[in-house]
Structure formats: C-alpha cells, structure tokens
Amino acid sequence: MAPELIEDPALRQRYRFTREGDALNVEMWVDPGGGVTPHVHPAMEERFEVLAGRPEFLSGRRWTAAGPGEQAVVSAGTRHAFRNRGEEVAHVLCRATPASTLEAFLTDVAALSQAGAINRRGLPTSPRAALQAAALAERYRDMVELGFPLPPPPVQRVLFPPLARLAARRGLA
C-alpha cells in the first residue's frame, strides 16, 4: 500500500512521505503558482531532485530554476524556499536529513490549509487562525524558523509563545 498523499490546497501542493534511516523523503507535486515562503531549518539539510517541471529554488538571496534530473541542495541554517511559476505540475523529491519533525509540521500546515486557516502566502486568514498558526510555529520552532511575510525570527520568539499559550487555553493548539 502506498503512503498517504497529503493535500495542501492553499500552498498548492501535495506530499507523500517515506522514511529511510534518519532521512525523510518528501515526494512533492507543486501545482503552478504553488510553493512555500522563505524559511530556515537550523539543523536540517534538504536535497531537492526535480523529477518533472521546472520549479525555482531560493537559497540565501538567489532564485535558481531547475529541470528534470537537476538538484538543489540547501545546507542547514540557509534561508530557502521553492515555487512553481511554470505551466505544468512540478514533481520534486526532497530528502531531508535529519528527518526531525518535518513530516508532522507539513501535515499540520496542510491541515490548517484544508481548514481555510491560511492563504497562499502561508498567512492566517482570521484572528482564530492567527492563534492556530502561532501555536504551530511555536510547536516546531526548533525545526524551522519561518521567514517573510511573517515578522522576523527575533520578534517571533517574543510574540509566539504567549499566543501559543492563549491558543492552548482556547483549545486551538
């Protein structure tokens, strides 16, 4: 039986996860217009291999397009993102090492997306959604630092913990 396919309608992508030792393989299908905003994994390396389409990868401050058979490697601690500006679905295999909590994070983000709580830029769609997003960001803060369009990480470290506690008190975390 094939692993479950996780749908993220706001970020316009689908994921399938498999584990291989300490690595997590994330098979992704990114629809035209889909992708993720800039972020940092302090202790995780990601290796993206393009299987189809022509997605673009941000590493540091530079965007680079890649086609089938090409790779993009993002070292731990490097600001990065990806997007699909093409006309066809981009099919990408990402190998994240160590796996950490990436699968749970992406699954939880997809659940917020499915509930209409985040928009295409990954921003909350309501005050309730903002509390849910803050709780999510706080829960995974050791694995990922979220970037623009959210406040800078130092502001997140001050702002998100009390918002996450408020979300928990309201049963939203």
Side-chain angles (χ1 to χ4, degrees):
M1 185 168 135
E4 178 184 5
L5 196 62
I6 306 295
E7 173 88 22
D8 186 325
L11 301 180
R12 298 181 180 183
Q13 50 201 2
R14 291 161 304 289
Y15 308 109
R16 181 175 291 141
F17 305 103
T18 55
R19 291 209 177 240
E20 190 177 318
D22 193 33
L24 176 67
N25 293 319
V26 184
E27 188 174 8
M28 303 182 295
W29 293 266
V30 185
D31 294 332
V36 297
T37 58
H39 60 282
V40 173
H41 298 292
M44 178 188 300
E45 176 185 89
E46 290 181 302
R47 292 181 171 271
F48 298 91
E49 178 185 355
V50 178
L51 304 174
R54 191 149 179 83
E56 297 176 351
F57 298 93
L58 173 70
S59 183
R61 296 180 179 266
R62 194 174 127 217
W63 285 97
T64 305
E70 296 180 310
Q71 291 190 12
V73 178
V74 179
S75 300
T78 303
R79 177 180 174 263
H80 65 285
F82 62 85
R83 63 188 179 198
N84 182 2
R85 290 179 146 182
E87 304 271 326
E88 65 179 286
V89 173
H91 187 191
V92 178
L93 181 61
C94 173
R95 182 177 173 89
T97 310
S100 186
T101 54
L102 181 61
E103 180 177 357
F105 171 74
L106 292 173
T107 301
D108 287 352
V109 170
L112 285 179
S113 178
Q114 292 166 9
I118 60 172
N119 65 21
R120 287 182 50 195
R121 295 186 55 133
L123 293 173
T125 57
S126 69
R128 175 186 173 95
L131 288 177
Q132 292 172 307
L136 182 137
E138 181 62 15
R139 184 167 47 251
Y140 296 105
R141 70 185 164 94
D142 291 339
M143 189 270 303
V144 65
E145 294 176 357
L146 303 173
F148 183 82
L150 294 177
V155 174
Q156 292 179 36
R157 286 190 285 276
V158 171
L159 187 61
F160 288 173
L163 290 175
R165 288 191 297 276
L166 178 59
R169 283 195 302 274
R170 294 191 175 179
L172 300 174

Short mmCIF file of all heavy atoms in Angstrom, two decimals, residues 31-88:
data_model
loop_
_atom_site.label_atom_id
_atom_site.label_comp_id
_atom_site.label_asym_id
_atom_site.label_seq_id
_atom_site.Cartn_x
_atom_site.Cartn_y
_atom_site.Cartn_z
N ASP A 31 1.73 22.46 -7.79
CA ASP A 31 0.94 22.99 -8.90
C ASP A 31 1.47 24.36 -9.34
O ASP A 31 2.14 25.05 -8.57
CB ASP A 31 -0.53 23.14 -8.47
CG ASP A 31 -1.19 21.81 -8.20
OD1 ASP A 31 -0.79 20.80 -8.80
OD2 ASP A 31 -2.13 21.77 -7.37
N PRO A 32 1.16 24.78 -10.57
CA PRO A 32 1.52 26.13 -10.99
C PRO A 32 1.01 27.15 -9.98
O PRO A 32 -0.13 27.07 -9.52
CB PRO A 32 0.81 26.28 -12.34
CG PRO A 32 0.77 24.87 -12.87
CD PRO A 32 0.50 24.02 -11.64
N GLY A 33 1.88 28.06 -9.59
CA GLY A 33 1.52 29.06 -8.58
C GLY A 33 1.77 28.60 -7.16
O GLY A 33 1.62 29.38 -6.22
N GLY A 34 2.15 27.35 -6.96
CA GLY A 34 2.37 26.81 -5.62
C GLY A 34 3.80 26.99 -5.15
O GLY A 34 4.68 27.38 -5.92
N GLY A 35 4.00 26.70 -3.89
CA GLY A 35 5.33 26.78 -3.31
C GLY A 35 5.25 27.19 -1.85
O GLY A 35 4.18 27.25 -1.27
N VAL A 36 6.41 27.44 -1.26
CA VAL A 36 6.48 27.83 0.15
C VAL A 36 7.27 29.12 0.29
O VAL A 36 8.12 29.44 -0.54
CB VAL A 36 7.11 26.72 1.03
CG1 VAL A 36 6.27 25.45 1.01
CG2 VAL A 36 8.54 26.41 0.62
N THR A 37 6.98 29.85 1.36
CA THR A 37 7.67 31.10 1.64
C THR A 37 9.04 30.81 2.27
O THR A 37 9.30 29.71 2.74
CB THR A 37 6.83 31.97 2.59
OG1 THR A 37 6.59 31.24 3.78
CG2 THR A 37 5.51 32.36 1.95
N PRO A 38 9.93 31.81 2.27
CA PRO A 38 11.27 31.61 2.83
C PRO A 38 11.23 31.17 4.30
O PRO A 38 10.42 31.64 5.09
CB PRO A 38 11.92 32.99 2.69
CG PRO A 38 11.22 33.60 1.53
CD PRO A 38 9.79 33.14 1.66
N HIS A 39 12.13 30.26 4.62
CA HIS A 39 12.26 29.73 5.97
C HIS A 39 13.66 29.14 6.14
O HIS A 39 14.41 29.03 5.17
CB HIS A 39 11.19 28.67 6.25
CG HIS A 39 11.24 27.50 5.31
ND1 HIS A 39 10.74 27.55 4.01
CD2 HIS A 39 11.78 26.26 5.44
CE1 HIS A 39 10.95 26.38 3.41
NE2 HIS A 39 11.59 25.58 4.26
N VAL A 40 13.98 28.76 7.37
CA VAL A 40 15.29 28.20 7.70
C VAL A 40 15.09 26.96 8.56
O VAL A 40 14.27 26.97 9.48
CB VAL A 40 16.15 29.23 8.48
CG1 VAL A 40 17.45 28.60 8.97
CG2 VAL A 40 16.43 30.46 7.65
N HIS A 41 15.83 25.91 8.24
CA HIS A 41 15.92 24.74 9.12
C HIS A 41 17.30 24.80 9.76
O HIS A 41 18.31 24.57 9.09
CB HIS A 41 15.78 23.44 8.33
CG HIS A 41 14.47 23.30 7.64
ND1 HIS A 41 13.29 23.13 8.31
CD2 HIS A 41 14.16 23.30 6.31
CE1 HIS A 41 12.30 23.03 7.43
NE2 HIS A 41 12.80 23.15 6.20
N PRO A 42 17.37 25.14 11.06
CA PRO A 42 18.67 25.32 11.70
C PRO A 42 19.57 24.09 11.67
O PRO A 42 20.79 24.22 11.61
CB PRO A 42 18.32 25.69 13.15
CG PRO A 42 16.93 26.21 13.08
CD PRO A 42 16.27 25.48 11.96
N ALA A 43 18.99 22.89 11.69
CA ALA A 43 19.82 21.68 11.80
C ALA A 43 19.48 20.63 10.75
O ALA A 43 19.79 19.46 10.93
CB ALA A 43 19.67 21.09 13.20
N MET A 44 18.85 21.03 9.65
CA MET A 44 18.41 20.06 8.64
C MET A 44 18.91 20.47 7.26
O MET A 44 18.77 21.62 6.86
CB MET A 44 16.88 20.00 8.61
CG MET A 44 16.29 19.07 7.57
SD MET A 44 14.49 19.25 7.47
CE MET A 44 14.01 18.84 9.12
N GLU A 45 19.47 19.49 6.53
CA GLU A 45 19.83 19.71 5.13
C GLU A 45 18.71 19.15 4.27
O GLU A 45 18.14 18.11 4.58
CB GLU A 45 21.13 18.97 4.79
CG GLU A 45 21.48 19.09 3.31
CD GLU A 45 22.70 18.27 2.94
OE1 GLU A 45 22.53 17.08 2.60
OE2 GLU A 45 23.81 18.83 3.01
N GLU A 46 18.39 19.85 3.19
CA GLU A 46 17.40 19.36 2.23
C GLU A 46 18.05 19.27 0.85
O GLU A 46 18.70 20.21 0.41
CB GLU A 46 16.18 20.29 2.18
CG GLU A 46 15.33 20.22 3.44
CD GLU A 46 14.12 21.11 3.35
OE1 GLU A 46 14.30 22.33 3.17
OE2 GLU A 46 13.01 20.60 3.49
N ARG A 47 17.83 18.13 0.20
CA ARG A 47 18.31 17.90 -1.17
C ARG A 47 17.06 17.69 -2.03
O ARG A 47 16.33 16.74 -1.84
CB ARG A 47 19.20 16.66 -1.23
CG ARG A 47 20.50 16.83 -0.53
CD ARG A 47 21.37 15.56 -0.63
NE ARG A 47 22.68 15.87 -0.11
CZ ARG A 47 23.69 16.35 -0.83
NH1 ARG A 47 23.54 16.55 -2.11
NH2 ARG A 47 24.84 16.63 -0.26
N PHE A 48 16.87 18.60 -2.97
CA PHE A 48 15.71 18.55 -3.87
C PHE A 48 16.17 18.01 -5.22
O PHE A 48 17.10 18.55 -5.82
CB PHE A 48 15.13 19.95 -4.06
CG PHE A 48 14.61 20.58 -2.80
CD1 PHE A 48 15.44 21.37 -2.01
CD2 PHE A 48 13.29 20.40 -2.41
CE1 PHE A 48 14.97 21.97 -0.85
CE2 PHE A 48 12.81 20.99 -1.25
CZ PHE A 48 13.65 21.78 -0.47
N GLU A 49 15.49 17.00 -5.70
CA GLU A 49 15.74 16.47 -7.05
C GLU A 49 14.48 16.67 -7.88
O GLU A 49 13.40 16.21 -7.50
CB GLU A 49 16.09 14.99 -7.00
CG GLU A 49 16.33 14.41 -8.38
CD GLU A 49 16.57 12.91 -8.36
OE1 GLU A 49 16.64 12.30 -7.30
OE2 GLU A 49 16.65 12.34 -9.48
N VAL A 50 14.62 17.35 -8.99
CA VAL A 50 13.47 17.63 -9.86
C VAL A 50 13.22 16.41 -10.74
O VAL A 50 14.11 15.94 -11.44
CB VAL A 50 13.70 18.88 -10.72
CG1 VAL A 50 12.53 19.13 -11.65
CG2 VAL A 50 13.97 20.09 -9.83
N LEU A 51 12.00 15.89 -10.69
CA LEU A 51 11.60 14.75 -11.50
C LEU A 51 10.83 15.19 -12.75
O LEU A 51 10.91 14.54 -13.78
CB LEU A 51 10.76 13.77 -10.67
CG LEU A 51 11.44 13.26 -9.38
CD1 LEU A 51 10.48 12.42 -8.57
CD2 LEU A 51 12.70 12.50 -9.70
N ALA A 52 10.08 16.30 -12.63
CA ALA A 52 9.32 16.85 -13.76
C ALA A 52 9.03 18.32 -13.49
O ALA A 52 9.00 18.76 -12.33
CB ALA A 52 8.01 16.08 -13.95
N GLY A 53 8.82 19.08 -14.55
CA GLY A 53 8.54 20.50 -14.41
C GLY A 53 9.82 21.31 -14.28
O GLY A 53 10.92 20.81 -14.50
N ARG A 54 9.65 22.57 -13.92
CA ARG A 54 10.81 23.46 -13.79
C ARG A 54 10.58 24.40 -12.60
O ARG A 54 10.37 25.61 -12.77
CB ARG A 54 11.00 24.25 -15.08
CG ARG A 54 12.33 24.98 -15.12
CD ARG A 54 12.86 25.12 -16.54
NE ARG A 54 14.11 25.84 -16.55
CZ ARG A 54 15.29 25.27 -16.31
NH1 ARG A 54 15.36 23.98 -16.08
NH2 ARG A 54 16.40 25.99 -16.32
N PRO A 55 10.64 23.87 -11.38
CA PRO A 55 10.48 24.73 -10.20
C PRO A 55 11.68 25.63 -9.99
O PRO A 55 12.75 25.41 -10.56
CB PRO A 55 10.35 23.73 -9.05
CG PRO A 55 11.13 22.54 -9.53
CD PRO A 55 10.90 22.48 -11.02
N GLU A 56 11.49 26.64 -9.16
CA GLU A 56 12.57 27.55 -8.80
C GLU A 56 12.85 27.39 -7.31
O GLU A 56 11.93 27.22 -6.51
CB GLU A 56 12.17 28.99 -9.10
CG GLU A 56 11.94 29.24 -10.56
CD GLU A 56 11.44 30.65 -10.85
OE1 GLU A 56 11.11 31.40 -9.89
OE2 GLU A 56 11.39 31.01 -12.02
N PHE A 57 14.14 27.45 -6.96
CA PHE A 57 14.58 27.30 -5.58
C PHE A 57 15.31 28.54 -5.13
O PHE A 57 16.17 29.05 -5.85
CB PHE A 57 15.50 26.08 -5.45
CG PHE A 57 14.82 24.79 -5.81
CD1 PHE A 57 14.90 24.28 -7.10
CD2 PHE A 57 14.09 24.09 -4.86
CE1 PHE A 57 14.26 23.10 -7.44
CE2 PHE A 57 13.45 22.91 -5.19
CZ PHE A 57 13.53 22.42 -6.48
N LEU A 58 14.96 29.02 -3.95
CA LEU A 58 15.67 30.12 -3.32
C LEU A 58 16.66 29.52 -2.33
O LEU A 58 16.29 28.68 -1.50
CB LEU A 58 14.69 31.03 -2.57
CG LEU A 58 15.31 32.15 -1.73
CD1 LEU A 58 15.93 33.21 -2.63
CD2 LEU A 58 14.25 32.76 -0.83
N SER A 59 17.91 29.94 -2.42
CA SER A 59 18.93 29.56 -1.45
C SER A 59 19.67 30.84 -1.09
O SER A 59 20.33 31.44 -1.95
CB SER A 59 19.88 28.52 -2.04
OG SER A 59 20.82 28.11 -1.07
N GLY A 60 19.51 31.28 0.14
CA GLY A 60 20.06 32.58 0.53
C GLY A 60 19.21 33.69 -0.07
O GLY A 60 18.05 33.84 0.26
N ARG A 61 19.76 34.40 -1.04
CA ARG A 61 19.02 35.50 -1.68
C ARG A 61 18.81 35.28 -3.18
O ARG A 61 18.29 36.15 -3.87
CB ARG A 61 19.76 36.82 -1.47
CG ARG A 61 19.84 37.24 -0.04
CD ARG A 61 20.61 38.55 0.09
NE ARG A 61 20.65 38.98 1.48
CZ ARG A 61 19.78 39.82 2.01
NH1 ARG A 61 18.81 40.32 1.30
NH2 ARG A 61 19.90 40.16 3.27
N ARG A 62 19.23 34.13 -3.69
CA ARG A 62 19.20 33.90 -5.14
C ARG A 62 18.23 32.79 -5.54
O ARG A 62 18.29 31.69 -5.00
CB ARG A 62 20.61 33.52 -5.58
CG ARG A 62 20.80 33.60 -7.06
CD ARG A 62 22.24 33.36 -7.45
NE ARG A 62 22.20 32.29 -8.44
CZ ARG A 62 23.08 31.34 -8.57
NH1 ARG A 62 24.11 31.29 -7.78
NH2 ARG A 62 22.95 30.43 -9.49
N TRP A 63 17.35 33.09 -6.49
CA TRP A 63 16.44 32.10 -7.06
C TRP A 63 17.11 31.44 -8.26
O TRP A 63 17.73 32.11 -9.08
CB TRP A 63 15.14 32.76 -7.54
CG TRP A 63 14.22 33.15 -6.43
CD1 TRP A 63 14.11 34.38 -5.85
CD2 TRP A 63 13.27 32.31 -5.78
NE1 TRP A 63 13.15 34.35 -4.88
CE2 TRP A 63 12.62 33.09 -4.81
CE3 TRP A 63 12.91 30.97 -5.92
CZ2 TRP A 63 11.61 32.58 -3.99
CZ3 TRP A 63 11.91 30.46 -5.09
CH2 TRP A 63 11.28 31.26 -4.14
N THR A 64 16.96 30.10 -8.37
CA THR A 64 17.52 29.33 -9.48
C THR A 64 16.48 28.32 -9.95
O THR A 64 15.90 27.61 -9.12
CB THR A 64 18.79 28.57 -9.04
OG1 THR A 64 19.71 29.51 -8.49
CG2 THR A 64 19.43 27.86 -10.21
N ALA A 65 16.24 28.27 -11.25
CA ALA A 65 15.33 27.27 -11.81
C ALA A 65 16.08 25.96 -12.01
O ALA A 65 17.29 25.96 -12.26
CB ALA A 65 14.76 27.76 -13.13
N ALA A 66 15.36 24.85 -11.89
CA ALA A 66 15.96 23.53 -12.11
C ALA A 66 14.97 22.68 -12.89
O ALA A 66 13.77 22.78 -12.69
CB ALA A 66 16.30 22.87 -10.78
N GLY A 67 15.50 21.85 -13.77
CA GLY A 67 14.68 20.97 -14.58
C GLY A 67 14.90 19.51 -14.20
O GLY A 67 15.69 19.20 -13.31
N PRO A 68 14.20 18.60 -14.88
CA PRO A 68 14.31 17.18 -14.57
C PRO A 68 15.77 16.71 -14.55
O PRO A 68 16.56 17.04 -15.42
CB PRO A 68 13.52 16.52 -15.70
CG PRO A 68 12.51 17.55 -16.10
CD PRO A 68 13.24 18.86 -15.96
N GLY A 69 16.09 15.96 -13.50
CA GLY A 69 17.44 15.44 -13.32
C GLY A 69 18.37 16.38 -12.58
O GLY A 69 19.46 15.98 -12.20
N GLU A 70 17.96 17.62 -12.37
CA GLU A 70 18.80 18.58 -11.66
C GLU A 70 18.46 18.60 -10.18
O GLU A 70 17.35 18.21 -9.78
CB GLU A 70 18.64 19.98 -12.26
CG GLU A 70 19.14 20.06 -13.70
CD GLU A 70 18.99 21.44 -14.28
OE1 GLU A 70 17.90 22.04 -14.19
OE2 GLU A 70 19.99 21.93 -14.85
N GLN A 71 19.41 19.05 -9.38
CA GLN A 71 19.24 19.09 -7.94
C GLN A 71 19.50 20.48 -7.38
O GLN A 71 20.23 21.26 -7.98
CB GLN A 71 20.19 18.11 -7.26
CG GLN A 71 19.87 16.67 -7.52
CD GLN A 71 20.69 15.75 -6.62
OE1 GLN A 71 21.33 16.18 -5.66
NE2 GLN A 71 20.66 14.47 -6.92
N ALA A 72 18.91 20.72 -6.22
CA ALA A 72 19.20 21.91 -5.43
C ALA A 72 19.46 21.41 -4.01
O ALA A 72 18.67 20.63 -3.48
CB ALA A 72 18.03 22.88 -5.44
N VAL A 73 20.57 21.82 -3.43
CA VAL A 73 20.93 21.40 -2.08
C VAL A 73 20.91 22.62 -1.18
O VAL A 73 21.51 23.66 -1.50
CB VAL A 73 22.32 20.73 -2.05
CG1 VAL A 73 22.71 20.33 -0.63
CG2 VAL A 73 22.35 19.52 -2.98
N VAL A 74 20.22 22.49 -0.05
CA VAL A 74 20.12 23.58 0.91
C VAL A 74 20.74 23.10 2.22
O VAL A 74 20.22 22.18 2.86
CB VAL A 74 18.65 23.99 1.14
CG1 VAL A 74 18.57 25.11 2.17
CG2 VAL A 74 17.99 24.41 -0.17
N SER A 75 21.85 23.70 2.58
CA SER A 75 22.54 23.35 3.83
C SER A 75 21.73 23.82 5.03
O SER A 75 20.98 24.81 4.95
CB SER A 75 23.92 24.00 3.88
OG SER A 75 24.70 23.57 2.80
N ALA A 76 21.93 23.15 6.16
CA ALA A 76 21.30 23.57 7.42
C ALA A 76 21.65 25.03 7.69
O ALA A 76 22.77 25.47 7.43
CB ALA A 76 21.78 22.69 8.55
N GLY A 77 20.65 25.78 8.17
CA GLY A 77 20.87 27.18 8.50
C GLY A 77 20.74 28.15 7.34
O GLY A 77 20.92 29.35 7.54
N THR A 78 20.42 27.67 6.15
CA THR A 78 20.31 28.51 4.96
C THR A 78 18.85 28.89 4.71
O THR A 78 17.98 28.02 4.65
CB THR A 78 20.87 27.80 3.72
OG1 THR A 78 22.23 27.45 3.97
CG2 THR A 78 20.79 28.69 2.49
N ARG A 79 18.60 30.16 4.52
CA ARG A 79 17.26 30.64 4.16
C ARG A 79 16.93 30.10 2.78
O ARG A 79 17.74 30.21 1.85
CB ARG A 79 17.28 32.17 4.14
CG ARG A 79 15.99 32.82 3.72
CD ARG A 79 16.21 34.35 3.76
NE ARG A 79 15.07 35.04 3.24
CZ ARG A 79 14.96 35.50 2.00
NH1 ARG A 79 15.94 35.32 1.13
NH2 ARG A 79 13.87 36.12 1.60
N HIS A 80 15.72 29.53 2.63
CA HIS A 80 15.36 28.94 1.34
C HIS A 80 13.84 28.89 1.17
O HIS A 80 13.09 29.10 2.11
CB HIS A 80 15.95 27.53 1.21
CG HIS A 80 15.40 26.55 2.19
ND1 HIS A 80 15.77 26.54 3.51
CD2 HIS A 80 14.51 25.54 2.05
CE1 HIS A 80 15.13 25.58 4.15
NE2 HIS A 80 14.34 24.96 3.29
N ALA A 81 13.44 28.61 -0.06
CA ALA A 81 12.03 28.47 -0.43
C ALA A 81 11.98 27.79 -1.79
O ALA A 81 13.02 27.57 -2.41
CB ALA A 81 11.35 29.85 -0.51
N PHE A 82 10.79 27.46 -2.24
CA PHE A 82 10.63 26.97 -3.62
C PHE A 82 9.28 27.42 -4.13
O PHE A 82 8.37 27.73 -3.36
CB PHE A 82 10.81 25.45 -3.74
CG PHE A 82 9.83 24.63 -2.97
CD1 PHE A 82 8.59 24.31 -3.49
CD2 PHE A 82 10.15 24.16 -1.71
CE1 PHE A 82 7.68 23.55 -2.78
CE2 PHE A 82 9.25 23.39 -0.99
CZ PHE A 82 8.01 23.09 -1.53
N ARG A 83 9.17 27.47 -5.47
CA ARG A 83 7.92 27.88 -6.10
C ARG A 83 7.85 27.27 -7.50
O ARG A 83 8.87 26.88 -8.07
CB ARG A 83 7.83 29.41 -6.18
CG ARG A 83 8.92 30.03 -7.05
CD ARG A 83 8.91 31.53 -6.96
NE ARG A 83 9.98 32.12 -7.77
CZ ARG A 83 10.43 33.34 -7.62
NH1 ARG A 83 9.91 34.14 -6.68
NH2 ARG A 83 11.39 33.80 -8.40
N ASN A 84 6.65 27.23 -8.02
CA ASN A 84 6.44 26.75 -9.38
C ASN A 84 5.76 27.85 -10.18
O ASN A 84 4.56 28.07 -10.05
CB ASN A 84 5.59 25.48 -9.40
CG ASN A 84 5.39 24.93 -10.79
OD1 ASN A 84 5.91 25.46 -11.76
ND2 ASN A 84 4.62 23.87 -10.90
N ARG A 85 6.52 28.54 -11.00
CA ARG A 85 5.98 29.58 -11.87
C ARG A 85 5.66 29.04 -13.26
O ARG A 85 5.24 29.80 -14.12
CB ARG A 85 6.97 30.73 -12.00
CG ARG A 85 7.13 31.53 -10.74
CD ARG A 85 8.13 32.62 -10.95
NE ARG A 85 7.77 33.80 -10.20
CZ ARG A 85 8.46 34.91 -10.23
NH1 ARG A 85 9.53 35.01 -11.00
NH2 ARG A 85 8.09 35.93 -9.50
N GLY A 86 5.88 27.74 -13.46
CA GLY A 86 5.66 27.14 -14.77
C GLY A 86 4.19 26.85 -15.04
O GLY A 86 3.32 27.14 -14.23
N GLU A 87 3.95 26.24 -16.18
CA GLU A 87 2.59 25.92 -16.62
C GLU A 87 2.19 24.49 -16.24
O GLU A 87 1.03 24.14 -16.31
CB GLU A 87 2.49 26.07 -18.15
CG GLU A 87 2.88 27.44 -18.65
CD GLU A 87 1.70 28.39 -18.70
OE1 GLU A 87 0.59 27.93 -18.97
OE2 GLU A 87 1.92 29.59 -18.46
N GLU A 88 3.17 23.66 -15.87
CA GLU A 88 2.88 22.26 -15.53
C GLU A 88 3.22 21.98 -14.07
O GLU A 88 3.97 22.73 -13.45
CB GLU A 88 3.66 21.31 -16.45
CG GLU A 88 5.17 21.39 -16.27
CD GLU A 88 5.93 20.43 -17.18
OE1 GLU A 88 5.91 19.22 -16.90
OE2 GLU A 88 6.54 20.91 -18.14
#
